[in-house]
Amino acid sequence: APAPARGRSPVSTWFDHHAYSLVASLGRMLRRPWSTLLTVGVMAIALALPLGLLASLANIERFAGDVQQAREVSVFLGTEVEVTRARELADELRARPDVASVELREPEQGLADLREATGLGDAIDALGSNPLPSLLVVRPTGDERALAGVLAQLPEADLVQHDAAWRERLDGWLRFGSRLAWVLAAMLGLGALLVVGNTVRLDIQQRREEIGVLQLLGATDGFIRRPFLYLGACYGVLAGALALALLTAADMALRTPLAELAHSYGSSFALQGFGLQHGAIILVAAALLGWLGAGLVTGHFLRQTRPTDT
């Protein structure tokens, strides 16, 4: 590489060349707007698909969080069990170390709740007697599956219900979705890397004579490679920014109808997109992806064209 100018330190010269390489890369992109837009658009879609899937899974997991924390075990007592015995049984269960709390819902309370929820007051009054049993809602301190097995052995218990199996299936689907998202991210990330590599390869072909002259003058591979690395990084940053913009637009389009749907079920759930920290990480990762793609292609080209002493 050329010797540093008189009065300037090697560090200043190194910094100036990096700045020049960055500005020159941006200039080459601006001179080819349609080619740049096509490359950035393909990369952005490849990045947006797995990121969107990961964001969707994060929202689903957050939505299911309250359900997963609801570890209640419902114990329906036999209709022949008196309310006094149900109260005694509730006190006995509260004394167990594996029980956090017990709520007793007496038949009268259950009938009132049913009347309010269904609006079938006249039909319920026509029954004459209350057919509902007492209900114990037990919140465990540990494994609800083990506690449910114990409660099922109670002589007074007629039916024991708990949602552990459903929550385990939900966790399994979430783990599968997360693994699927990472597999897609790897495959589409490889595709984005190849897109950058091919774009940089075309730029290298157009500057083949210039690169040959620099090699004959003794320029190092790092000196020649640097502008192309910045070119790939610029493609990556722009693609990452466009991917975030696409995901933000999708979030804005879905946020209101989903909030209205959740409100109809009495929930305050709302979509959450990527924050500033996650957005910065995505931009850095996209820049590194573009940098890597450009580095692989440029390194391969320089190894084939480096002059050898004869």
Side-chain angles (χ1 to χ4, degrees):
R6 184 181 300 274
R8 295 188 60 83
S9 66
V11 175
S12 299
T13 303
W14 177 87
F15 179 80
D16 289 344
H17 187 259
H18 274 270
Y20 171 78
S21 299
L22 176 59
V23 173
S25 299
L26 291 174
R28 282 195 293 272
M29 295 174 67
L30 293 176
R31 286 193 296 269
R32 298 175 300 180
W34 293 112
S35 175
T36 299
L37 181 60
L38 180 61
T39 301
V40 171
V42 172
M43 288 186 63
I45 294 175
L47 295 174
L49 289 176
L51 290 175
L53 181 55
L54 287 172
S56 300
L57 290 172
N59 280 281
I60 294 174
E61 187 173 2
R62 184 169 57 86
F63 177 73
D66 294 338
V67 178
Q68 294 188 24
Q69 293 175 1
R71 303 168 57 237
E72 298 175 347
V73 178
S74 299
V75 182
F76 294 88
L77 304 181
T79 54
E80 72 281 357
V81 178
E82 299 291 338
V83 175
T84 55
R85 175 55 189 156
R87 294 172 181 171
E88 294 175 356
L89 184 60
D91 292 336
E92 294 174 4
L93 293 177
R94 291 188 185 101
R96 292 178 59 94
D98 54 353
V99 173
S101 63
V102 178
E103 178 186 356
L104 172 62
R105 298 178 184 175
E106 299 179 0
E108 290 75 11
Q109 180 184 353
L111 189 64
D113 293 340
L114 181 64
R115 186 192 304 272
E116 181 180 355
T118 61
L120 300 177
D122 295 339
I124 293 175
D125 293 337
L127 294 176
S129 60
N130 187 349
L132 298 180
S134 297
L135 170 64
L136 297 177
V137 180
V138 183
R139 295 179 178 85
T141 57
D143 183 11
E144 69 270 22
R145 185 183 293 272
L147 180 61
V150 174
L151 296 176
Q153 302 300 321
L154 294 175
E156 297 86 353
D158 184 46
L159 177 65
V160 176
Q161 291 183 340
H162 65 108
D163 60 356
W166 181 87
R167 291 190 298 105
E168 289 178 358
R169 288 194 294 268
L170 175 61
D171 290 340
W173 278 109
L174 290 174
R175 286 192 299 269
F176 170 76
S178 179
R179 182 67 59 86
L180 177 62
W182 284 111
V183 171
L184 287 176
M187 296 175 62
L188 294 173
L190 178 60
L193 187 147
L194 294 176
V195 169
V196 173
N198 184 65
T199 304
V200 172
R201 182 186 64 83
L202 296 176
D203 192 66
I204 291 174
Q205 294 295 333
Q206 294 177 357
R207 303 177 60 190
R208 176 184 290 271
E209 294 182 359
E210 177 186 346
I211 294 173
V213 172
L214 290 175
Q215 288 177 328
L216 291 175
L217 292 176
T220 63
D221 287 353
F223 184 90
I224 299 173
R225 184 188 296 116
R226 194 169 298 135
F228 299 105
L229 295 178
Y230 277 109
L231 181 63
C234 290
Y235 279 125
V237 171
L238 291 177
L242 181 57
L244 289 174
L246 292 174
L247 293 175
T248 301
D251 175 73
M252 294 177 62
L254 297 175
R255 184 181 294 268
T256 300
L258 182 59
E260 294 175 352
L261 179 62
H263 181 72
S264 66
Y265 285 93
S267 173
S268 59
F269 175 79
L271 284 176
Q272 287 186 357
F274 294 104
L276 292 178
Q277 181 179 2
H278 291 95
I281 293 175
I282 291 171
L283 291 178
V284 171
L288 291 176
L289 190 66
W291 183 285
L292 178 61
L296 292 175
V297 172
T298 310
H300 176 71
F301 176 82
L302 292 177
R303 284 192 298 271
Q304 290 183 330
T305 60
R306 166 60 59 186
T308 57
D309 296 333
T310 56

